[in-house]
Amino acid sequence: MVLAALIFIPVAGGLLAWMADRWQPGAAKWVALVTAGIEFVLTIGLWLQSASDMALPAHGGWLAETRAEWIPRFGVSFHLAVDGTSLILVVLTAFLGIVSVACSWTEIQKRVGFFYFNLLWTVAGAIGVFLALDLFLFFFFWELMLVPMYFLIGIWGHENRQYASIKFFIFAQGSGMFMLVAILALVFVHYRGTGVLTFDYFDLLNATLSPSTELWIMLGFFIAFAVKTPIVPFHTWLPDAHTEAPTAGSVILAGVLLKTGAYGLLRFIVPLFPEAAAYFAPVAMVLGATGVLYGAFLAFAQTDFKRLVAYTSVSHLGFAVLGIFAWNPWSLGGAVMQMIAHGISTGALFVIAGILQERTHTRDMQRFEGLWSVMPRLAAMGLFFAIAALGLPGMGNFVGEFLVLMGLSSSSSVLASAATVVFVASVVYALALVQKTFHGENKHGWQLHDLSGREMATLFSMAAITLWLGLYPQPVLNAAPNPANSPPAIAVAHHEVNVE
């Protein structure tokens, strides 16, 4: 029952934090921190217990599974399972849960209990998405994580928080309706062919679909995942949501919620619709490459610190999309590594942005000049994560992007060449961020206190993980899907894609 506990602990912790704030001011954040800590310990324990199974070269099974009847009349069950890919994402979610609580310690001053309630319920919904193998349950958790994130942005966000939260909710909820229709269509087509009404993932893997039906149902899933990933042109909600969200909201949004979209592509699009995915792969890869280039060049044009980092997310997750649809061992390992490394490095940049805004009440990089002499520890951390984002060798982002490009080169040298250009563009925007924010003269007379012990512990732990991912990536690569263990239909349908 450890999988169910991973969901119910943050749910219960969120409720307790909300109530604790009414009993004792300041208690809510301690309840949230303990809850996030317990969650992280459980996920690490599960990972260590399963590490040897993930390392088996031919391993393609599930590491843990639980199933219980929920609504048997409609074929709905409480079916949770974890493999290497979902487990590594659950560990990332639990770790960023602790980071989010820590970076909100002094930032959140109003309705503190309700804030941590929404934060922990967002974490619970995301973990449910990574574990659910009943499509009705998956959709339930998919929607569950949207509502508390809407409140996080709408209540504790910045100047244009109402606009950003409504835009986020419309995009997420609207695309989710496409997925709901697609899920129902898949279930009914399977029922018509077998007489069995079920939402179970394993049963629906064997659904017999005509090529046109498979393509249309796949597109319903793809739209929902494309909005969340985010894939250009479905990305327009992201810069506003990131810019206006509180620091914890930005960390969870970048590090966790965006990964649910990429995870959906990996878990549902290709396995459930192998022929349609192979047919659609050139289009998806062109969209991914467009996002890689588009996000990088727009990031360079920004003066708002958080908006710049938001556009880098569009660029970096474009690599994950390319890796998923190239569907070979190199690219899939790179896609999973990119998802994890992006979650850590970009989350850290949002933590730094939050620290700067809390102290200076601005996100304008043109007003941050000369901060290196004022806040040397923060500036050093900013430089570290900026060069991590640009893909410096020895850090996790480089491993992910390099593996994706290696896998992509066997499918399309044109797209691989185009994506390689981003290495140059990322150097430009990363160095521009460091130059505008930390170098130069202190013309504005900033006199600010440097990182506190709590902030240093948070950023140093994220820096250590970034280095570990870059210097010893094998545990994450062990968790990546192995195409050799894919269902036969995928091996037949997912031929080499060439879009030259």
Side-chain angles (χ1 to χ4, degrees):
M1 295 300 293
V2 66
L3 300 184
L6 290 176
I7 297 172
F8 291 125
I9 285 174
V11 169
L15 290 170
L16 184 59
W18 194 2
M19 292 185 291
D21 188 52
R22 303 188 179 199
W23 300 332
Q24 177 65 43
K29 56 188 178 184
W30 287 104
V31 171
L33 183 62
V34 170
T35 301
I38 293 172
E39 186 82 357
F40 183 62
V41 169
L42 282 178
T43 58
I44 290 296
L46 185 58
W47 188 22
L48 294 176
Q49 179 184 349
S50 308
S52 59
D53 292 331
M54 287 193 293
L56 294 175
H59 183 76
W62 297 88
L63 305 172
E65 185 175 4
T66 184
R67 186 199 301 260
E69 295 294 338
W70 186 13
I71 314 176
R73 180 176 181 180
F74 298 110
V76 177
S77 62
F78 188 80
H79 185 188
L80 304 175
V82 63
D83 65 352
T85 305
S86 52
L87 179 55
I88 198 72
L89 289 169
V90 169
V91 173
L92 173 68
T93 303
F95 173 72
L96 291 180
I98 296 177
V99 171
S100 299
V101 174
C103 67
S104 305
W105 206 259
T106 57
E107 178 183 356
I108 302 302
Q109 298 294 332
K110 66 176 184 178
R111 305 179 68 177
V112 178
F114 190 50
F115 172 85
Y116 287 111
F117 166 82
N118 284 285
L119 179 63
L120 291 173
W121 274 51
T122 303
V123 170
I127 291 177
V129 165
F130 295 137
L131 297 181
L133 284 185
D134 180 281
L135 266 65
F136 182 88
L137 185 65
F138 173 81
F139 181 77
F140 172 80
F141 286 124
W142 184 269
E143 295 297 305
L144 175 64
M145 66 183 179
L146 302 181
V147 177
M149 180 54 69
Y150 165 80
F151 285 122
L152 287 176
I153 300 172
I155 298 177
W156 294 276
H158 303 302
E159 301 85 7
N160 297 317
R161 57 184 178 272
Q162 296 298 331
Y163 169 78
S165 61
I166 292 172
K167 188 175 182 179
F168 161 76
F169 192 77
I170 289 174
F171 269 78
Q173 187 70 19
S175 62
M177 291 300 101
F178 282 97
M179 183 169 66
L180 176 60
V181 171
I183 290 173
L184 294 175
L186 178 61
V187 168
F188 288 136
V189 169
H190 179 266
Y191 175 73
R192 186 176 61 188
T194 64
V196 177
L197 184 62
T198 180
F199 285 81
D200 190 79
Y201 175 79
F202 295 122
D203 293 332
L204 295 175
L205 280 174
N206 301 316
T208 302
L209 306 172
S210 67
S212 61
T213 301
E214 182 177 350
L215 180 61
W216 282 109
I217 295 177
M218 184 217 70
L219 288 175
F221 281 86
F222 179 80
I223 290 173
F225 299 146
V227 167
K228 197 63 66 67
T229 300
I231 297 175
V232 175
F234 305 100
H235 71 288
T236 57
W237 62 272
L238 181 68
D240 294 308
H242 267 318
T243 303
E244 302 303 329
T247 303
S250 294
V251 170
I252 291 296
L253 193 60
V256 179
L257 263 66
L258 301 190
K259 307 307 178 296
T260 61
Y263 173 79
L265 297 174
L266 196 62
R267 174 70 70 215
F268 295 98
I269 292 289
V270 180
L272 288 174
F273 315 105
E275 286 85 1
Y279 176 78
F280 188 72
V283 177
M285 292 167 70
V286 168
L287 292 175
T290 302
V292 167
L293 295 168
Y294 176 85
F297 285 107
L298 260 67
F300 175 69
Q302 306 305 312
T303 58
D304 185 303
F305 193 113
K306 294 186 74 174
R307 204 168 186 87
L308 184 153
V309 179
Y311 276 111
T312 66
S313 294
V314 176
S315 180
H316 291 309
L317 288 172
F319 278 101
V321 174
L322 287 170
I324 291 168
F325 281 94
W327 199 261
N328 58 61
W330 290 93
S331 68
L332 289 175
V336 174
M337 176 58 76
Q338 182 70 353
M339 291 160 65
I340 303 302
H342 170 268
I344 299 297
S345 61
T346 304
L349 286 173
F350 279 121
V351 171
I352 291 171
I355 292 171
L356 287 171
Q357 181 158 12
E358 186 177 359
R359 290 178 176 43
T360 66
H361 307 290
T362 181
R363 299 184 302 270
D364 188 351
M365 291 186 292
Q366 296 175 339
R367 297 190 58 197
F368 287 153
E369 290 179 312
L371 288 184
W372 196 289
S373 60
V374 180
M375 308 174 71
R377 292 195 293 270
L378 178 66
M381 286 289 97
L383 175 61
F384 177 89
F385 288 109
I387 62 177
L390 65 82
L392 186 74
M395 300 189 185
N397 301 67
F398 171 78
V399 176
E401 293 175 4
F402 178 77
L403 290 176
V404 168
L405 291 175
M406 287 288 292
L408 187 61
S409 62
S410 64
S411 299
S412 171
S413 58
V414 171
L415 291 181
S417 301
T420 304
V421 174
V422 175
F423 277 108
V424 178
S426 61
V427 171
V428 175
Y429 69 65
L431 295 182
L433 183 149
V434 174
Q435 176 66 35
K436 293 178 181 178
T437 305
F438 301 114
H439 290 291
E441 297 181 12
N442 185 11
K443 298 178 182 178
H444 302 283
W446 294 117
Q447 294 182 353
L448 309 169
H449 62 275
D450 208 346
L451 294 177
S452 65
R454 168 182 53 83
E455 292 163 342
M456 286 186 64
T458 301
L459 290 173
F460 269 94
S461 64
M462 301 177 86
I465 293 174
T466 299
L467 285 172
W468 173 67
L469 291 173
L471 299 175
Y472 185 56
Q474 196 59 48
V476 174
L477 300 182
N478 288 339
N482 187 347
N485 298 318
S486 302
I490 299 176
V492 172
H494 209 91
H495 51 75
E496 186 176 280
V497 179
N498 194 318
V499 297
E500 296 181 60

